Amino acid sequence: LKAGYASVGPTPLLFDQLETEYLNKSISSFSKQRLRELINVSFHPMDDIRSSADYRRMVIENITWDFLNKIREKPSGFIHLEK
């Protein structure tokens, strides 16, 4: 499970802690609270004219949570991402 994000740091960043946390675990073990904790440890975005650091963290959380829910909905655990 790999996830990468842009516009949340000086360069695009991988969410390595997400992969480490859930390696060899069921996708149903994901909790929104734990995801939020991992985001707060993993990402330190800055405020700028485009958006606040809190907003950027919220976007990371929402995008990741939506993705994890899509995986949960598929029996095989695989999803097809449309262009």
Side-chain angles (χ1 to χ4, degrees):
L1 179 63
K2 291 217 182 266
Y5 301 87
S7 298
V8 296
T11 62
L13 300 169
L14 286 175
F15 196 173
D16 293 327
Q17 291 79 1
L18 183 69
E19 180 180 6
T20 303
E21 178 80 9
Y22 296 107
L23 188 64
N24 299 320
K25 290 185 182 177
S26 167
I27 200 73
S28 62
S29 68
F30 284 75
S31 79
K32 198 159 191 177
Q33 178 59 37
R34 183 62 183 145
L35 176 61
R36 192 173 294 125
E37 291 168 1
L38 290 173
I39 289 168
N40 287 333
V41 169
S42 304
F43 296 96
H44 306 287
M46 56 188 213
D47 293 310
D48 66 18
I49 196 165
R50 297 172 294 165
S51 64
S52 69
D54 289 339
Y55 176 79
R56 292 170 198 259
R57 278 189 210 91
M58 182 185 69
V59 169
I60 296 168
E61 179 182 326
N62 290 340
I63 289 171
T64 306
W65 190 249
D66 287 348
F67 177 72
L68 295 174
N69 282 324
K70 285 183 182 185
I71 293 172
R72 270 184 239 206
E73 293 168 4
K74 299 292 182 182
S76 67
F78 293 99
I79 63 168
H80 174 72
L81 299 176
E82 307 259 339
K83 288 184 179 182

